[in-house]
């Protein structure tokens, strides 16, 4: 008997299983490739999705500024199926980002996107020198029945003295039919989670500058190159910008749902602020308050974007200043906890009083959390008076830092007043629509205060009709349950109405009591003064006349 050893071989059909069946759609495959750039500590990715002239084929190009790969990295990781590199190293080497992929299938997603791939990557080798590697992958050569290890992928290797690290993937031969508007929107929503990273620090790693994606997809976006992070900020209820003009006054613009575009120039000035501006997205986790649902989903908004990346950051001369953005440096949540109702700015109080339906004494109750304000305040090169603390965590307290908080909060409070206006108008419109719909059903005009009662009565009548179709015993029980439910609704509505009247009475009574108290105190003060004067006068009179006085 002859002893021998056997080794496994890999059929090229495996690549089809990994690249086409495990990754079912083209947009998921493309998301996997961009995640590879994120894991490679890239701060910027350019994504191009271009339709060729024949209208059928699509070229996809992804270029990042990550750490790239040396020739050895390409050979050991990229060319090795099922590597455990991301499992063994679950953090990116430079910024400590949690790895977004672990199955090692990202590169096989390229096969799902087209019939050929060109990899161009530049990284540093173990000697610290730059290596540029180019490899072409002719996926059509990897046919079922062939051993994957026998397919040659032509490539070149070049050692350079100076170069920029990064990776570029060029995929050709993709089918246009897979790229619908729905698929493209899904792609944007998935990538928005990555661009929400606007920069952070992780212990033991270099400071993460954040991650951004620029997309060029003329087949969907009219040939415009756009910044996905800007689209993320603009996707919420409103976008608020602010700047300090040459006279030191704040100039603010708000573009929001139900508001349009509004502008205000503050009467107060911020003389110590120069070269300062900000851009914030006011992003509320309600579907009816999203302007661009092709970028945001409620799931990622609630679970990732707002909890992890919400807040107003500060960048000073191009660098992020901590902990601003991670903390409530604008006292937004502090004021919400105290139920602050009115702006301390007389100018904003007057402004609020002029908006129809807005109670200027309660307008700030619509203020959302500091996490719902996503964006950055930029302090430029010409700014003076901002001095860092010794531990580099924030600025020392000074007049400029105080003015900076006032400048930003003025804009946020102004936008909040407009949001309160929007919410109140929306509530009135919803009530009107519901009332009109009910009037169409009952064929009668209904006073606003009677809507609930009329609706409940209508439901009871309809329940009678339905119950008439049931057996006698079931009908009685059915009607009884509905009668109890409608009675509870009507009773609660009446109680709410009476409570509102009571609260209004208390509010007006409190105001009268304050005025009365002020007048009484003034009168007591006047009497006390007269008492002192009379005492002084009496001491200068004879005892008889003093007693008479």
């Amino acid at each position: 008997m002859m002893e021998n050893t056997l080794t496994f071989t890999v059929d090229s059909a495996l690549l089809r299983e990994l690249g086409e069946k495990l990754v079912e759609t083209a947009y998921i495959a493309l998301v996997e490739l961009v995640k590879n750039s994120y894991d490679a500590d890239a701060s910027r990715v350019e994504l191009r999705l271009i339709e060729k002239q024949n209208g059928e084929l699509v070229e996809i190009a992804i270029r990042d500024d990550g750490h790239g790969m040396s020739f050895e990295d390409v050979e050991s990781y990229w060319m090795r199926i099922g590597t455990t590199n991301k499992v063994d190293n679950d953090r990116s080497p430079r910024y400590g980002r949690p790895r977004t992929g672990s199955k090692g299938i990202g590169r096989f997603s390229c096969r799902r996107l087209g019939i050929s791939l060109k990899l161009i990557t530049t990284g540093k080798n173990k000697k610290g020198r730059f290596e540029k590697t180019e490899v072409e992958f002719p996926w059509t050569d990897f046919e079922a029945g062939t051993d994957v290890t026998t397919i040659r992928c032509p490539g070149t290797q070049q050692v350079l003295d100076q170069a920029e690290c990064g990776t570029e993937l060029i995929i050709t031969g993709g089918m246009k039919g897979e790229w619908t508007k729905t698929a493209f929107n899904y792609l944007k929503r998935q990538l928005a989670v990555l661009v929400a990273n606007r920069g952070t620090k992780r212990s033991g790693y270099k400071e993460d500058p954040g991650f951004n994606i620029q997309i060029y997809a003329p087949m969907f976006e009219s040939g415009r190159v756009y910044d996905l992070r800007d689209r993320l900020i603009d996707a919420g209820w409103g976008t608020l910008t602010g700047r300090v003009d040459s006279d030191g006054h704040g100039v603010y613009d708000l573009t929001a749902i139900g508001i349009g575009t509004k502008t205000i120039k503050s009467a107060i000035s911020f003389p110590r602020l120069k070269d300062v501006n900000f851009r914030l997205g006011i992003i509320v986790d309600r579907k009816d308050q999203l302007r661009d649902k092709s970028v945001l989903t409620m799931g990622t908004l609630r679970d990732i974007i707002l909890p992890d990346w919400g807040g107003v950051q500060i960048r000073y001369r191009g660098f992020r200043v901590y902990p601003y953005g991670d903390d409530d440096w604008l006292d937004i949540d502090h004021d919400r906890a105290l139920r602050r109702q009115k702006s301390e700015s007389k100018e904003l109080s007057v402004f609020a009083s002029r908006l129809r339906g807005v109670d200027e004494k309660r307008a700030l109750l619509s203020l959302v959390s500091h996490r719902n304000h996503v964006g950055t305040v930029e302090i430029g090169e010409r700014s003076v008076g901002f001095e860092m603390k010794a531990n580099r965590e924030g600025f020392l307290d000074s007049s400029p830092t105080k003015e900076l908080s006032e400048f930003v909060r003025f804009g946020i409070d102004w936008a909040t007043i407009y949001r309160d206006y929007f919410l109140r108008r929306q509530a009135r419109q919803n009530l009107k629509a519901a009332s009109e719909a009910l009037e169409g059903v009952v064929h009668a005009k209904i006073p606003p205060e009677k809507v609930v009662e009329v609706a409940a009565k209508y439901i009871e009548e309809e329940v009678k009709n339905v119950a008439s179709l049931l057996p006698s015993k079931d009908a009685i029980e059915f009607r009884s349950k509905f009668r109890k439910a409608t009675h509870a609704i009507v009773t609660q509505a009446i109680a709410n109405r009476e409570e509102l009247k009571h609260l209004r009475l208390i509010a007006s009574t409190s105001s009268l009591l304050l005025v009365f108290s002020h007048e009484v105190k003034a009168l007591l003060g006047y009497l006390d003064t007269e008492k002192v004067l009379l005492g002084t006068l009496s001491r200068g009179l004879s005892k008889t006349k003093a007693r008479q006085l």
Side-chain angles (χ1 to χ4, degrees):
M1 179 182 293
M2 181 182 295
E3 292 187 5
N4 208 336
T5 58
L6 299 174
T7 59
F8 281 104
T9 60
V10 180
D11 194 287
S12 294
L14 177 62
L15 300 190
R16 183 171 179 271
E17 296 292 324
L18 293 174
E20 296 181 38
K21 291 190 176 180
L22 195 57
V23 181
E24 295 181 354
T25 60
Y27 49 83
I28 291 178
L30 191 47
V31 169
E32 289 296 323
L33 294 178
V34 178
K35 284 182 178 180
N36 281 352
S37 294
Y38 186 84
D39 292 345
D41 286 322
S43 61
R44 185 171 177 270
V45 169
E46 295 176 7
L47 174 59
R48 298 168 65 87
L49 189 64
I50 305 170
E51 177 186 357
K52 291 301 184 181
Q53 291 182 350
N54 60 16
E56 288 298 323
L57 299 180
V58 172
E59 178 179 297
I60 299 171
I62 308 165
R63 183 168 64 181
D64 68 48
D65 62 353
H67 52 62
M69 293 179 284
S70 65
F71 181 84
E72 183 179 347
D73 291 334
V74 173
E75 188 175 40
S76 300
Y77 303 129
W78 183 274
M79 302 295 294
R80 184 176 177 81
I81 299 172
T83 177
T84 61
N85 180 46
K86 287 191 177 182
V87 176
D88 299 335
N89 303 284
D90 62 351
R91 293 274 175 173
S92 64
R94 187 182 302 164
Y95 304 136
R97 293 172 178 169
R99 299 278 197 179
T100 58
S102 61
K103 298 179 179 64
I105 63 171
R107 55 196 179 281
F108 298 119
S109 299
C110 302
R111 181 182 172 90
R112 186 68 183 76
L113 294 167
I115 60 176
S116 65
L117 161 70
K118 185 174 183 179
L119 167 68
I120 306 170
T121 184
T122 302
K124 286 188 175 182
N125 60 24
K126 291 181 177 180
K127 296 180 179 180
R129 301 196 67 187
F130 294 99
E131 283 185 354
K132 182 177 181 181
T133 304
E134 295 188 22
V135 187
E136 294 187 14
F137 298 85
W139 295 124
T140 53
D141 291 352
F142 291 80
E143 297 178 348
T146 62
D147 192 323
V148 70
T149 60
T150 65
I151 309 299
R152 301 299 176 185
C153 299
T156 62
Q157 174 189 8
Q158 187 178 3
V159 179
L160 305 170
D161 293 328
Q162 291 294 329
E164 296 291 333
C165 291
T167 298
E168 182 175 11
L169 301 175
I170 303 172
I171 303 164
T172 55
M175 296 304 296
K176 179 190 174 185
E178 288 200 302
W179 285 103
T180 62
K181 185 66 174 177
T182 300
F184 183 67
N185 288 342
Y186 179 91
L187 172 72
K188 289 189 294 183
R189 288 193 293 268
Q190 294 296 306
L191 297 182
V193 177
L194 300 178
V195 301
N197 175 2
R198 295 175 293 130
T200 189
K201 288 194 297 187
R202 302 179 181 91
S203 179
Y205 297 92
K206 291 184 178 180
E207 181 180 338
D208 187 344
F211 187 74
N212 204 9
I213 303 171
Q214 288 193 321
I215 300 177
Y216 176 65
M219 54 203 295
F220 298 115
E221 298 290 342
S222 303
R224 293 179 291 111
V225 177
Y226 69 86
D227 186 305
L228 189 57
R229 185 180 295 159
D230 286 342
R231 292 289 290 268
L232 171 66
I233 289 176
D234 289 337
W237 174 78
T239 303
L240 174 67
T241 63
R243 61 182 176 83
V244 179
D245 68 11
S246 57
D247 297 325
H249 296 279
V251 180
Y252 306 87
D253 295 290
L254 173 68
T255 300
I257 296 175
I259 302 298
T261 299
K262 303 294 183 182
T263 301
I264 190 174
K265 181 176 179 179
S266 67
I268 60 172
S269 62
F270 307 96
R272 297 172 182 82
L273 300 186
K274 292 182 180 179
D275 203 11
V276 172
N277 65 83
F278 67 81
R279 186 169 183 270
L280 308 177
I282 302 172
I283 305 178
V284 185
D285 53 347
R286 285 184 51 176
K287 187 176 290 187
D288 63 341
Q289 293 185 31
L290 296 181
R291 283 178 290 165
D292 190 349
K293 299 179 182 66
S294 72
V295 174
L296 287 177
T297 65
M298 296 305 297
T300 58
L301 189 61
R302 290 172 176 166
D303 299 338
I304 301 173
I305 294 176
L306 295 180
D308 293 349
W309 305 110
V312 182
Q313 296 183 359
I314 292 180
R315 296 186 73 85
Y316 179 54
R317 300 183 178 182
F319 296 94
R320 185 181 170 187
V321 182
Y322 295 89
Y324 305 115
D326 298 330
D327 65 349
D328 184 27
W329 67 279
L330 291 167
D331 287 336
I332 292 174
D333 287 350
H334 172 268
D335 289 347
R336 293 178 74 239
L338 294 178
R339 301 281 294 169
R340 181 182 166 208
Q341 303 180 28
K342 182 178 179 181
S343 173
E344 295 178 357
S345 166
K346 184 178 180 180
E347 180 181 357
L348 288 180
S349 293
V350 172
F351 168 78
S353 67
R354 293 173 179 171
L355 286 178
R356 180 177 177 270
V358 173
D359 181 354
E360 58 92 10
K361 296 179 181 179
R362 299 174 61 83
L364 290 194
L365 290 177
S366 296
L367 183 66
V368 293
S369 169
H370 88 279
R371 289 290 183 189
N372 294 96
H373 297 84
V374 181
T376 306
V377 178
E378 300 282 352
I379 305 174
E381 295 288 341
R382 295 185 291 109
S383 300
V384 294
F386 292 93
E387 186 177 349
M388 298 292 296
K389 293 179 180 178
N391 62 1
R392 312 301 292 175
E393 291 291 319
F395 297 117
L396 294 172
D397 290 336
S398 64
S399 296
T401 58
K402 182 179 179 182
E403 281 191 11
L404 183 68
S405 299
E406 293 171 350
F407 164 64
V408 179
R409 269 306 298 264
F410 185 98
I412 289 176
D413 289 352
W414 172 66
T416 298
I417 292 170
Y418 259 127
R419 185 166 179 275
D420 185 73
Y421 168 75
F422 158 74
L423 292 173
R424 291 175 184 271
R425 188 174 68 175
Q426 185 184 54
R428 289 196 303 271
Q429 291 173 345
N430 292 342
L431 177 60
K432 182 180 178 182
S435 298
E436 289 176 350
L438 184 60
E439 287 173 352
V441 172
V442 301
H443 307 292
K445 294 293 290 183
I446 306 171
E449 68 276 8
K450 294 292 184 180
V451 171
V452 174
E453 288 93 327
V454 172
K457 185 176 180 180
Y458 176 77
I459 291 173
E460 286 184 355
E461 292 299 321
E462 290 300 307
V463 166
K464 288 180 183 178
N465 295 332
V466 174
S468 65
L469 303 175
L470 299 175
S472 172
K473 183 178 180 181
D474 294 338
I476 293 172
E477 183 180 359
F478 184 67
R479 290 174 60 181
S480 174
K481 288 180 178 179
F482 266 89
R483 192 179 299 112
K484 290 177 182 178
T486 54
H487 177 71
I489 292 171
V490 172
T491 303
Q492 185 62 51
I494 294 172
N496 289 343
R497 193 158 58 234
E498 293 302 316
E499 181 69 15
L500 181 60
K501 289 180 181 178
H502 181 62
L503 291 173
R504 286 172 176 168
L505 179 62
I506 290 174
S508 60
T509 303
S510 299
S511 299
L512 289 173
L513 285 173
L514 287 173
V515 173
F516 180 71
S517 174
H518 176 75
E519 295 297 330
V520 169
K521 287 180 180 178
L523 179 59
L524 289 174
Y526 173 76
L527 291 176
D528 191 59
T529 301
E530 292 300 313
K531 177 182 176 182
V532 173
L533 290 174
L534 287 173
T536 303
L537 181 61
S538 68
R539 285 192 291 272
L541 299 175
S542 64
K543 292 183 179 181
T544 302
K545 290 184 177 181
R547 282 195 297 270
Q548 292 176 350
L549 183 63

